[in-house]
Amino acid sequence: MTQRKRLSNTQGRRSDPLEEDDSDLTFTQPSTSQVQRGLDKFTGSQMDQKAAEVIQYILVKDQKKIPVRRADLVKHVLKDYRYIYPEIMKRVLQTFDQVFGLKLVEIDTKNHLYILINKLEPQEGAAGPPNPKMGLLFVILSLIFMKRGAVKESECFQCLLYICGERHEQFGDVKKLVTDEFVRQRYLECVRIPHTEPVEFEFHWGQRAELEVSKAKILDFMGELHNQDPQTWSQQYKEAHAPPPAAPSTSQPNHSQR
Amino acid sequence: MPPHLGDSHRRFLQSMMSNSVMDEQQARALYQHCCDIHKAQCVPDKLDDFIETINSKLQPMFMQIRKGMSEDNGQQYYALVNMAETDVTRMSSDYADNELELFRKTMDLIVSSENGKVSSTDVLNVADTLTIKKLKKSEAEQVLNRLVQDKWLNEKRGEFSLSIKCIIEMEPYIRRMYEDQLKMCHICHNVAFQCQICDSPTCGIKIHNPCVARYFKGRVEPRCPACDEFWPYEIPEVRH
């Protein structure tokens, strides 16, 4: 059983071990005068170069689907450029959008965690090998969605045992994949069920799943699987086709007026 | 002025990012697929132009989609490369420091070898000489297996060579690290690991196996293109 650090301020959430150095540099949004001084100090091409480094850093982290911490970004990449953070991030966002078709989204406004999500819609039958892990994830997300948002850990594994066994030739330890990898990548969230003894957990959709996976598509898939009209699951249908909530905050700079 | 990037370009780029290395056929299919989805015009045989457009936008980030020839089958492959990478650090999230050191030493052996291959025995012997935490022979063997699984190395009959993924994606590192030690192919002017070398001591030019196959195809008496001496090796078949 892997070690898990529990953050004291959460409601019994199983959280991933913090990847980077814990000594968080307190980083506050620079004031407009600090930004101006910074802008005077660096040339346009220097800033472009720094933006390129930030992009590389985020892409590498994103390959593993690990959320990026703003503190790490400042400590390891921005360094001297920290006071023009808003200006650099403006370029970074623009490049992600225009060159990669990706969007940097803040999923944790308290700890300033970011993930990259795809602006382009995932397509069926894409060229290149299909990803079996995503197939498995899709099954779990479907299970949770059809059960109206939460599935007990034990129930989830019963289901998966039936589908692919405990060890899979491609994913190895299935339990580990689900509880470690998918949770760390924010595709799933593992939440403690209160008043259970011994402690039991349930899975919810994680923030990345909420942003990247279409509930409507899941319902369509269910419909095909069971040869039913998706609308027969009226509650799920309503949820899947509800208007989207207000867009999550991105790392748009907000100059505080001082 | 290169044309603007559209969603078809972005989708292609995203695929390259997640698929790592792909052969020419896959790349063409992907190009077609991306254009179809976004209703962009797909001009056959203009794949390289399409990629050039993407590359022009990747350039400020020191990234490029590059092409390379596999030394095994002579086919062209495409991969996304970080041109600023000065070490094997891109693998650091998957491999421990001593495992990376083993990989570097394996690469040393391959570069300095005659035929671009190294036996597992040679690599396991090197495992003893690691400066960072040593690896037992069984552990080193595991690392080698993972390197093959992750497609950094190819394995055939107990011998290891650099994969096309490694050759393309690590090219900046390889060129910087090995500089003068590298063999260059006389025909295609790219770095050569598995190649034939001219017998004549004053010549010694190198030609990739697939380049040998193409260059000498159909010739009754193969002769070195540089010094005209008889080319004494078996000419491989051209593979498709």
Side-chain angles (χ1 to χ4, degrees), chain A residues 54-224:
Chain A
V54 172
I55 287 166
Q56 284 287 1
Y57 181 85
I58 295 174
L59 283 175
V60 169
K61 289 281 176 188
D62 188 68
Q63 259 197 339
K64 296 279 160 187
K65 300 280 183 225
I66 301 172
V68 178
R69 291 189 353 166
R70 188 171 73 181
D72 293 329
L73 206 53
V74 171
K75 179 176 170 188
H76 298 298
V77 189
L78 283 167
K79 302 187 210 181
D80 286 343
Y81 290 70
R82 60 170 59 198
Y83 293 116
I84 50 167
Y85 171 88
E87 188 55 44
I88 303 284
M89 289 315 284
K90 209 186 336 186
R91 287 161 200 246
V92 167
L93 285 182
Q94 202 174 48
T95 307
F96 273 135
D97 177 42
Q98 290 181 356
V99 179
F100 296 89
L102 299 171
K103 193 167 163 185
L104 194 64
V105 174
E106 190 168 23
I107 55 169
D108 185 339
T109 48
K110 182 162 185 252
N111 298 304
H112 301 294
L113 286 179
Y114 300 95
I115 59 170
L116 269 180
I117 61 162
N118 205 339
K119 290 185 68 181
L120 304 177
E121 265 225 63
Q123 288 290 331
E124 302 287 319
N131 189 340
K133 280 186 188 173
M134 285 296 115
L136 181 69
L137 174 67
F138 200 73
V139 166
I140 300 173
L141 291 176
S142 307
L143 187 64
I144 299 172
F145 177 60
M146 296 311 281
K147 289 251 171 188
R148 314 291 291 112
V151 165
K152 268 208 234 177
E153 201 182 10
S154 49
E155 194 177 339
C156 176
F157 288 125
Q158 266 300 97
C159 176
L160 293 187
L161 201 70
Y162 182 70
I163 296 175
C164 63
E166 280 179 327
R167 279 203 76 84
H168 189 269
E169 67 173 12
Q170 266 170 317
F171 343 120
D173 189 330
V174 176
K175 253 196 188 173
K176 191 160 185 276
L177 171 65
V178 176
T179 52
D180 259 353
E181 205 169 315
F182 287 159
V183 171
R184 194 164 20 95
Q185 295 173 342
R186 303 304 206 266
Y187 278 117
L188 294 178
E189 203 181 34
C190 196
V191 175
R192 185 178 162 184
I193 303 173
H195 314 302
T196 51
E197 197 61 45
V199 170
E200 284 179 54
F201 293 88
E202 59 186 17
F203 287 121
H204 297 188
W205 276 41
Q207 291 143 315
R208 191 186 289 276
E210 292 283 353
L211 290 166
E212 284 187 2
V213 183
S214 151
K215 291 185 167 135
K217 281 214 158 63
I218 294 220
L219 210 52
D220 287 343
F221 169 68
M222 282 290 136
E224 279 181 41

